[in-house]
Amino acid sequence: AFIAKKLMNMYSRCGNTPKAMEIFTCLHPKDTFAWNIILACHCRNNSLDEAYELFQQIPAPDLISWTTLLSAYAHCGHPDAAKSVFDRMPLRNEVSWNTMLAAYANNDRLEDAKRVFDSMPGRNLVSWNTLLDGYAQNGHISCMTALFHGMPQHDLISWTCTLSSLAQTGRMEEAVLVYESMPERDMITFNALLDGYAKYGHLVQAKSLFDSLPETNLISMTVILVGFAQSGRMRQAKEIFDRM
RNA sequence: GUUACUGCUUAUGC
């Protein structure tokens, strides 16, 4: 049963709902843990309606079942449906509050997000990052900057959200300042800055950043390739292409 | 017991 649940989760993450369902069907007894795995599987890979149907069949849904459903509505761009799930939850914790916050923040409902943020019983770094990214994604750069400076702590995600937002909107001077202040970086950080350079025509800077990277991946290659190709530097584009 | 929350970093397709 141990292994069965592990397997279900693996299939779920690979998007193979039929295989996950096959195991679930054979599984006895089906505890809430197992139900939650198959629910999360449908939330990730199938329609909301199917997920909701499944949720209704869970004999004893727990906090995780409720939060999984909430998260599905949040990710599918239905903040109001998410709110109604949230209101019907028999209990809530930090994660469910953060999920509700994300439902608003990721769907450009920043006033509502801020209201949730201010009224939640506790705020952790995920809460701060969620609101920060809401501002970042929706182009509220000054709110983002203010929040960034008001946060109690920053982690790699806080820094990268901010960098990415500046780079996406072509504020390359500020993006570089953030980049240079970062205590740590990863591939997402590199690629976010690289993409800003490439997108806004700074191909020389893009190439020199690219050459200095400790490692590259398929995304870095694609970013620089597209940058060269779209600016008509076909010889350099071909050079990258041949290396892929 | 990686069962639920924050990075949508590229392109293509739709």
Side-chain angles (χ1 to χ4, degrees):
Chain A
F2 244 20
I3 308 294
K5 289 172 199 170
K6 287 252 182 261
L7 259 179
M8 276 173 58
N9 199 34
M10 282 184 52
Y11 282 125
S12 164
R13 297 200 181 275
C14 298
N16 196 337
T17 306
K19 271 287 182 193
M21 271 307 264
E22 196 178 297
I23 298 170
F24 182 71
T25 307
C26 301
L27 189 64
H28 295 290
K30 301 178 190 352
D31 58 9
T32 301
F33 192 102
W35 276 100
N36 287 344
I37 296 174
I38 204 70
L39 174 64
C41 178
H42 280 74
C43 289
R44 263 193 289 272
N45 308 314
N46 301 77
S47 75
L48 267 181
D49 297 329
E50 285 177 83
Y52 185 67
E53 236 170 76
L54 215 131
F55 175 82
Q56 287 179 310
Q57 295 171 40
I58 305 180
D62 63 6
L63 180 56
I64 294 187
S65 326
W66 280 97
T67 309
T68 303
L69 184 68
L70 177 64
S71 164
Y73 285 109
H75 281 115
C76 292
H78 297 133
D80 296 313
K83 177 67 162 71
S84 91
V85 171
F86 187 73
D87 288 338
R88 278 156 46 212
M89 292 176 71
L91 71 163
R92 304 174 183 113
N93 66 2
E94 219 168 34
V95 175
S96 30
W97 276 95
N98 284 339
T99 306
M100 188 61 238
L101 174 62
Y104 285 132
N106 297 336
N107 291 291
D108 203 9
R109 296 268 296 265
L110 278 312
E111 344 58 43
D112 293 310
K114 184 63 164 60
R115 225 192 40 244
V116 169
F117 183 82
D118 289 334
S119 66
M120 52 201 290
R123 282 162 286 275
N124 59 20
L125 190 50
V126 172
S127 327
W128 286 92
N129 284 343
T130 301
L131 185 60
L132 180 74
D133 191 44
Y135 289 135
Q137 292 303 321
N138 296 290
H140 308 260
I141 304 289
S142 56
C143 290
M144 172 190 81
T145 306
L147 190 73
F148 184 86
H149 289 109
M151 291 172 66
Q153 302 100 29
H154 305 106
D155 64 3
L156 185 55
I157 293 185
S158 335
W159 283 100
T160 305
C161 286
T162 304
L163 169 69
S164 167
S165 169
L166 294 170
Q168 295 280 332
T169 54
R171 294 169 225 257
M172 297 313 296
E173 335 66 35
E174 298 162 79
V176 170
L177 264 155
V178 168
Y179 181 79
E180 284 169 352
S181 314
M182 293 179 70
E184 48 177 345
R185 302 171 185 126
D186 67 3
M187 280 312 292
I188 296 184
T189 316
F190 298 138
N191 293 341
L193 182 62
L194 188 66
D195 183 49
Y197 278 141
K199 206 163 259 162
Y200 289 93
H202 310 285
L203 275 308
V204 175
Q205 288 94 325
K207 182 64 162 70
S208 98
L209 176 65
F210 182 80
D211 289 335
S212 73
L213 293 183
E215 52 184 334
T216 60
N217 61 16
L218 191 56
I219 294 183
S220 330
M221 305 278 279
T222 309
V223 169
I224 195 90
L225 172 73
V226 170
F228 282 140
Q230 288 182 350
S231 61
R233 290 163 230 240
M234 297 314 291
R235 199 187 54 77
Q236 298 182 80
K238 179 72 163 56
E239 211 170 274
I240 299 291
F241 183 82
D242 289 335
R243 268 204 264 160
M244 295 179 77

